[in-house]
Amino acid sequence: MSTITRNNLGGGVVRGGALDKLSTSSVNKSLSKSTSSKISSIKQTSTRRGSTGAVNSPKYNAGVPGRVRVAVRLRPRNGEEMVADADFADCVELQPELKRLKLQKNNWDSDTYEFDEVLTEFSSQKRVYEVVAKPVVESVLDGYNGTIMAYGQTGTGKTYTLGRLGEEDTADRGIMVRAMEDILTEISLETDSIHVSYFQLYMETIQDLLDPSNDNIAIHEDPKTGDVSLPGATCVEIHDQKSFMDLLLLGEAHRFAANTKLNTESSRSHAILMVHVKRSVKGKDSVFSNENGSISHNSRILKAPIVRRSKLVIVDLAGSERIHKSGSEAHTLEEAKSINLSLSALGKCINALAENSSHVPVRDSKLTRLLRDSFGGTARTSLVITIGPSPRHRGETTSTIMFGQRAMKVENMLKIKEEFDYKSLSRRLDIQLEKLTAENERQQKTFQDEIRRINSEAKNRIAEVERNYADALEKERLKFQKDYTQLVKKLEDQFKGNQEKNGNGRDRADEKSIAESRILSLSKELSEVKMFLQSETQLRQTAEYELAEVKDQLTHWKKAKGTGNFEILKLRKMLEEESDQKAKLEEEISALRSQLFQMSFKADETRRMLDNDGGERPPGHLGSLIPQDQEARDSHEKEVSMESIFEQVGLNKILSLLEAEDAAVRIHAVKVVANLAAEEANQEKIVQAGGLTSLLSLLKNSNDETIHRVAAGAIANLAMNEANQELIMSQGGISLLSKTAATAQDSQTLRMVAGAIANLCGNDKLQTKLRSEGGLKAMLSMVRCRHPDVLAQAARGIANFAKCESRASTQGTKKGRSFLIEDSLLPWIVQNANNEASPIRRHIELALCHLAQHEVNAKDMISEGALWELVRISRDCSREDIRALAYRIIANNSIFQTELKRLRVDYE
């Protein structure tokens, strides 16, 4: 078997590009008007459906019917057929203008079949993409799921049609490359995202083409919606076309292919490319108007954005073939049988859907489970069937055509899945709140600064005016006082001078005239003083007017301050509403805590009752957490109460409390999860909801030993399921358990950790990884505790590990000595082979028997004294099956027999 890249359409002679180079222009001209109108109508329908997919709230709409579209593509003759069939006409005749195909039954009779599209051997890759895949890609961009699938005989060009990369000639690009180009062109990487998974279905095993070590991927189905997913597959985010091309090259390098008589590069597996598209719906945000009827800016962020999630599945089926024609043999024969079985199961499902049967056998094959949404589901599906012209393969061509005819009868109900993007809404609200708070603080600070500046300016101007007015009044007063004093003194001097000059004999008339002249002079001076006082009064009035204007400005600023306070009150009201919502959330959290405490109390009470009752538990179960069937009947009333609380609270809310800040809440939450994990019906729900990841995170990040003990017990219960064991190992669970064992002080914590590791030891696929990550060393360190419960779990884990090693050695996948011997656990095993506790002794006896089954371990067992314990077990063991096993091993082991003879021990 070889892993090679396919370069031709089929047969190994016609090289890539031959189909497109023959008559590309003529084919493009032959595209009929009816086909163009159909394609445009599909686009309009997709757009119309996309616009009405979400009305007020995201949900699954009623859906619209959509039949599976089928196109047929004819491969040209290859070199071998040109020679072998040179004298024979082609068995098919195409009528592309009528979308018909005639299949020659013999020289005079033929059957006519109609398809949605008929593509001749000259059809270009671009034409094939436009009529087959482009309507599906456009539907995916509008929010619908879509499937593109190729079906046909080996060597007819399925992989060429779908997976051709076109590295040498871009015209050769297949549907996968062209579809991704259209998707990247239409979406915005800032708001949208694309994730791609690429895997193959090989002999009923799903294998990751991007990570070959991931070779057994499990299928998960949503019990509510029925959606099929592969959570274990590698999912890569695509940002450009180059990264997608590199991904396809990596996947093709890991795909299985082989050389057969029908095709030199025959695909031996079904390859499936799964593209997940997440798009934000623009123009769907609701807005709200305020009291005046206008739309406020803040209200635009209150509606959560809507996103559409769609999925494009491109399936390159392995070719159907007849064994005698393909020449398959040995391993290739087994591959062919597996391919034919899966294709047969797909055909049965399509027959049942076409005939409207009440039962569709979807679960008969993993292929039909993966494609349950493509046929009879909610996806828009296009099928291209590929055929060859050779009359030698008329039977295979007829089977392929009939498969396409039946597929055309299948009706799908197309639905758009929309949902609110609450995380984006929360981020937008947080950013808007921060902006409003910062703007409010800035405006308030600016307003206060402006008020202080205006007050300061007003006070300075008033003080300056008052000071100038007082200075002016004081100057005038001093001036008038000085003038008055000078005038009085002058009058007195004049009066005295006149008296001395004229003497006392002057008559009264002269005195009267002098007095009148003086009075006139004084009156004149008084009138001048009055005029001056009037001018000063006017100046005072002007100053008072300016003071009034300053006061008016101050009043205006006070009113502006009141308006600002009103805006501040509105913002405070908004903050109070946010606080009320926060208080409601806190009340809900308090109620959840109360319910959680009740569940934890019931679990603790049940555990104490069971510990008092005693009794031996099954070896793979930690009985301190959940009662067994008999004990469950005794505590039925308590379990009913706990289940009712669990139904009210919900698993997701309980798991969210594992990350609570309150340590008491985390402890009660992990106790409830541990009790739920003991029930097999709850384990898958817990893992799917992220419970396993949360429990491992508690082991890693918490320092509380109580949390470590209960979390380890929950992991031990989950580890009883084989699928969960691989998840625990892939998430580094054994390393975390080993670190917990190294730091634990309590024997019960060590018991839980030992029980979890013991369950993991029973998985054949995890032996090497379990040892490399310290699982065996942790087991050896825990047995030094000497607590009987810890020793019992350690003994069980050693027995499981030895049993898996023995099975691997028998199958030839394990060579060399046992890891238990290499990691120095054999001395402890020998020391406890005759332990007083029966559970410890029974597991150790089984471990010794498994180790002794292979002679490569014999010398080490002899040197450590394990041979004498095997002899004792074969004679004195209380269990007859173990006693017989030990006897048979010693009797068939030549090294043991030689040692017993050397020591002259008679063993019968």
Side-chain angles (χ1 to χ4, degrees):
M1 184 184 304
S2 60
T3 304
I4 52 180
T5 305
R6 281 153 294 283
N7 295 319
N8 59 349
L9 181 62
V13 175
V14 180
R15 294 296 176 184
L19 288 175
D20 294 340
K21 295 178 181 178
L22 290 178
S23 182
T24 302
S25 60
S26 62
V27 172
N28 290 335
K29 291 180 181 179
S30 66
L31 180 62
S32 63
K33 294 182 180 180
S34 60
T35 304
S36 301
S37 63
K38 285 188 177 182
I39 294 176
S40 62
S41 65
I42 290 174
K43 293 181 180 178
Q44 295 174 359
T45 304
S46 300
T47 305
R48 184 164 55 254
R49 291 169 185 164
S51 63
T52 60
V55 185
N56 293 325
S57 61
K59 60 182 180 178
Y60 287 99
N61 61 358
V64 292
R67 179 178 59 79
V68 175
R69 299 183 74 256
V70 181
V72 59
R73 185 181 193 185
L74 177 65
R75 171 182 60 77
R77 287 193 179 191
N78 55 30
E80 180 184 354
E81 292 171 347
M82 288 180 181
V83 176
D85 301 333
D87 298 332
F88 300 95
D90 291 349
C91 67
V92 292
E93 177 185 351
L94 302 184
Q95 298 176 342
E97 65 281 356
L98 300 177
K99 298 183 181 181
R100 291 179 181 174
L101 177 148
K102 286 186 177 181
L103 178 64
Q104 298 293 334
K105 297 171 62 177
N106 44 49
N107 293 333
W108 59 87
D109 193 10
S110 63
D111 291 329
T112 302
Y113 303 94
E114 292 185 358
F115 291 93
D116 293 304
E117 293 292 340
V118 175
L119 302 168
T120 68
E121 63 269 31
F122 305 110
S123 297
S124 66
Q125 291 282 73
K126 180 179 178 181
R127 170 67 192 281
V128 174
Y129 171 74
E130 289 179 349
V131 301
V132 173
K134 193 166 185 177
V136 178
V137 174
E138 291 175 346
S139 297
V140 170
L141 291 172
D142 289 336
Y144 297 94
N145 289 343
T147 301
I148 305 168
M149 188 169 67
Y151 178 91
Q153 183 189 5
T154 297
T156 54
K158 298 182 296 301
T159 302
Y160 178 87
T161 301
L162 296 181
R164 184 74 172 179
L165 301 183
E167 294 176 302
E168 299 177 357
D169 187 356
T170 56
D172 289 344
R173 293 169 299 168
I175 288 176
M176 290 183 181
V177 179
R178 295 177 185 269
M180 184 54 66
E181 287 179 348
D182 283 359
I183 292 174
L184 287 171
T185 301
E186 291 295 327
I187 73 166
S188 172
L189 293 178
E190 296 179 356
T191 58
D192 307 334
S193 65
I194 308 172
H195 290 80
V196 172
S197 297
Y198 197 17
F199 51 90
Q200 66 178 351
L201 179 59
Y202 176 71
M203 296 185 73
E204 282 303 299
T205 301
I206 301 177
Q207 302 177 357
D208 199 333
L209 289 174
L210 305 181
D211 183 9
S213 61
N214 191 9
D215 59 356
N216 190 9
I217 303 174
I219 299 177
H220 288 271
E221 298 181 14
D222 191 327
K224 295 182 180 179
T225 63
D227 292 341
V228 176
S229 61
L230 301 173
T234 302
C235 194
V236 181
E237 186 171 4
I238 300 299
H239 298 285
D240 52 38
Q241 187 70 11
K242 183 179 182 304
S243 62
F244 179 69
M245 294 288 286
D246 294 339
L247 182 145
L248 288 182
L249 284 172
L250 177 62
E252 287 298 315
H254 295 142
R255 190 176 177 188
F256 288 100
N259 184 6
T260 67
K261 292 181 179 180
L262 295 178
N263 191 355
T264 59
E265 299 167 353
S266 175
S267 301
R268 314 309 294 169
S269 64
H270 308 299
I272 301 175
L273 179 71
M274 193 173 290
V275 183
H276 300 271
V277 180
K278 175 185 175 184
R279 299 195 71 186
S280 298
V281 181
K282 298 180 179 179
K284 288 280 184 100
D285 291 351
S286 299
V287 296
F288 305 97
S289 59
N290 55 19
E291 296 177 355
N292 299 327
S294 62
I295 298 175
S296 65
H297 173 71
N298 294 334
S299 65
R300 294 181 182 273
I301 66 169
L302 299 179
K303 182 69 175 178
I306 298 175
V307 296
R308 288 177 177 172
R309 299 180 186 273
S310 56
K311 179 174 63 176
L312 173 63
V313 180
I314 302 179
V315 186
D316 180 11
L317 294 173
S320 59
E321 60 184 33
R322 294 186 179 181
I323 305 302
H324 70 278
K325 288 188 176 182
S326 63
S328 300
E329 58 185 11
H331 187 68
T332 308
L333 177 60
E334 297 300 323
E335 293 174 340
K337 290 179 179 178
S338 177
I339 292 170
N340 290 338
L341 284 175
S342 61
L343 293 177
S344 175
L346 178 61
K348 290 179 181 178
C349 289
I350 291 178
N351 289 341
L353 290 169
E355 297 171 1
N356 293 323
S357 175
S358 59
H359 172 67
V360 180
V362 177
R363 294 188 172 275
D364 287 357
S365 170
K366 289 187 177 181
L367 177 63
T368 54
R369 291 180 64 190
L370 289 171
L371 298 179
R372 66 180 304 171
D373 191 46
S374 304
F375 294 96
T378 61
R380 183 183 294 278
T381 301
S382 283
L383 171 66
V384 55
I385 59 174
T386 57
I387 59 177
S390 174
R392 289 181 299 160
H393 304 305
R394 182 182 287 107
E396 288 78 0
T397 302
T398 303
S399 176
T400 302
I401 291 173
M402 296 309 299
F403 180 89
Q405 289 288 302
R406 290 191 295 270
M408 291 177 66
K409 298 179 182 179
V410 177
E411 287 280 347
N412 292 349
M413 186 61 65
L414 310 184
K415 295 181 180 179
I416 295 179
K417 183 178 181 182
E418 296 181 342
E419 61 185 25
F420 285 130
D421 191 356
Y422 289 105
K423 291 183 179 179
S424 176
L425 175 62
S426 176
R427 288 194 299 269
R428 289 166 57 184
L429 288 175
D430 290 339
I431 294 172
Q432 187 68 13
L433 179 60
E434 292 176 358
K435 288 183 178 179
L436 289 175
T437 304
E439 181 67 18
N440 179 33
E441 292 176 352
R442 187 187 64 79
Q443 290 181 356
Q444 190 172 5
K445 184 177 182 300
T446 303
F447 182 72
Q448 295 294 338
D449 293 342
E450 188 67 18
I451 289 177
R452 284 194 293 269
R453 186 185 64 80
I454 293 174
N455 286 334
S456 177
E457 289 181 357
K459 289 179 181 179
N460 292 335
R461 292 182 64 182
I462 292 172
E464 183 179 0
V465 171
E466 290 179 347
R467 186 169 58 253
N468 293 336
Y469 181 71
D471 292 343
L473 288 177
E474 183 66 21
K475 289 179 181 180
E476 292 298 325
R477 187 184 65 80
L478 293 174
K479 181 179 179 183
F480 283 126
Q481 187 176 2
K482 182 179 180 182
D483 292 343
Y484 176 76
T485 303
Q486 291 177 353
L487 181 60
V488 172
K489 185 177 181 181
K490 182 178 180 182
L491 290 174
E492 288 179 350
D493 291 342
Q494 289 179 357
F495 180 74
K496 289 179 179 180
N498 290 331
Q499 282 183 346
E500 291 178 354
K501 183 177 181 181
N502 297 324
N504 295 328
R506 194 167 187 177
D507 56 8
R508 293 183 179 272
D510 294 335
E511 294 178 353
K512 184 176 180 181
S513 61
I514 293 170
E516 288 176 354
S517 63
R518 290 177 179 175
I519 291 171
L520 289 173
S521 177
L522 290 172
S523 298
K524 185 177 180 181
E525 292 178 354
L526 286 174
S527 62
E528 291 177 354
V529 171
K530 287 181 179 178
M531 291 177 63
F532 181 78
L533 288 174
Q534 287 177 357
S535 64
E536 291 296 326
T537 302
Q538 290 178 356
L539 290 174
R540 181 181 179 87
Q541 289 176 352
T542 302
E544 290 176 350
Y545 177 77
E546 292 179 352
L547 180 61
E549 287 182 345
V550 172
K551 289 182 177 179
D552 290 338
Q553 291 181 0
L554 182 61
T555 304
H556 175 72
W557 283 110
K558 287 183 177 178
K559 290 181 180 179
K561 180 180 179 181
T563 304
N565 290 335
F566 178 74
E567 293 293 333
I568 292 172
L569 289 175
K570 289 177 65 178
L571 291 173
R572 286 180 178 174
K573 186 176 180 181
M574 292 177 63
L575 291 175
E576 289 176 357
E577 291 176 354
E578 294 292 335
S579 300
D580 293 340
Q581 293 181 0
K582 182 179 179 182
K584 292 180 180 179
L585 290 175
E586 290 178 349
E587 291 177 0
E588 184 178 354
I589 291 173
S590 299
L592 289 176
R593 286 181 179 177
S594 175
Q595 295 176 351
L596 183 62
F597 291 156
Q598 294 180 25
M599 294 177 70
S600 179
F601 175 78
K602 296 295 184 181
D604 290 342
E605 186 176 356
T606 303
R607 183 187 61 194
R608 287 194 298 269
M609 182 189 71
L610 294 175
D611 291 341
N612 293 333
D613 291 344
E616 184 177 353
R617 268 79 175 177
H621 195 283
L622 297 180
S624 62
L625 295 178
I626 292 296
Q628 299 300 313
D629 294 339
Q630 183 61 36
E631 295 165 339
R633 289 194 293 271
D634 296 337
S635 58
H636 177 69
E637 295 180 357
K638 296 179 181 179
E639 284 191 352
V640 171
S641 175
M642 182 173 176
E643 289 176 0
S644 64
I645 296 175
F646 166 62
E647 291 176 358
Q648 295 175 5
V649 176
L651 179 59
N652 290 330
K653 290 185 177 179
I654 294 175
L655 293 177
S656 65
L657 294 178
L658 293 175
E659 301 177 359
E661 296 180 359
D662 192 345
V665 174
R666 291 200 305 272
I667 292 173
H668 286 289
V670 75
K671 286 183 179 179
V672 172
V673 174
N675 280 273
L676 293 174
E679 296 293 336
E680 185 177 355
N682 299 330
Q683 291 179 0
E684 184 177 359
K685 298 177 182 178
I686 292 173
V687 173
Q688 289 181 351
L692 177 58
T693 303
S694 298
L695 291 170
L696 293 173
S697 178
L698 286 176
L699 285 183
K700 180 179 181 181
N701 301 321
S702 176
N703 296 323
D704 192 315
E705 187 156 357
T706 302
I707 293 179
H708 286 176
R709 180 172 63 256
V710 185
I715 293 172
N717 288 334
L718 292 175
M720 291 186 294
N721 186 298
E722 183 176 354
N724 295 340
Q725 291 172 358
E726 297 181 7
L727 289 176
I728 292 171
M729 294 296 292
S730 64
Q731 297 183 22
I734 191 65
S735 298
L736 294 175
L737 290 170
S738 300
K739 291 180 181 178
T740 304
T743 58
Q745 302 296 328
D746 182 38
S747 60
Q748 292 301 319
T749 304
L750 293 174
R751 172 174 171 249
M752 300 299 177
V753 174
I757 296 177
N759 289 337
L760 295 174
C761 286
N763 193 317
D764 295 349
K765 301 178 181 179
L766 307 179
Q767 296 287 295
T768 304
K769 192 171 184 180
L770 189 69
R771 183 201 184 198
S772 62
E773 295 188 4
L776 294 183
K777 291 183 179 179
M779 196 83 72
L780 183 61
S781 65
M782 285 187 289
V783 298
R784 295 169 184 166
C785 172
R786 298 190 179 280
H787 192 281
D789 292 339
V790 179
L791 296 180
Q793 295 298 331
R796 182 171 65 85
I798 290 172
N800 289 341
F801 194 92
K803 181 179 179 181
C804 292
E805 274 195 333
S806 176
R807 188 159 48 237
S809 297
T810 302
Q811 296 172 356
T813 59
K814 172 76 171 66
K815 297 181 180 180
R817 295 188 306 166
S818 169
F819 291 152
L820 296 173
I821 296 176
E822 292 183 358
D823 287 355
S824 304
L825 268 74
L826 184 57
W828 184 85
I829 295 174
V830 175
Q831 181 182 355
N832 288 271
N834 198 16
N835 195 291
E836 295 179 356
S838 60
I840 301 174
R841 184 175 63 255
R842 183 174 67 253
H843 290 309
I844 294 299
E845 289 174 347
L846 283 172
L848 283 173
C849 291
H850 290 312
L851 287 174
Q853 283 185 335
H854 300 281
E855 292 188 355
V856 70
N857 300 325
K859 292 183 179 180
D860 293 286
M861 297 185 70
I862 291 172
S863 63
E864 294 293 340
L867 177 57
W868 301 113
E869 293 298 334
L870 283 172
V871 173
R872 179 191 60 77
I873 294 170
S874 66
R875 293 174 177 176
D876 302 331
C877 183
S878 58
R879 289 183 50 173
E880 183 179 354
D881 55 342
I882 298 177
R883 187 169 64 250
L885 177 61
Y887 179 84
R888 186 171 61 253
I889 290 171
I890 296 174
N892 295 331
N893 192 309
S894 59
I895 297 177
F896 287 162
Q897 290 295 325
T898 302
E899 178 66 14
L900 291 175
K901 290 178 181 179
R902 186 182 68 82
L903 298 175
R904 298 180 181 179
V905 176
D906 186 13
Y907 183 78
E908 295 181 358

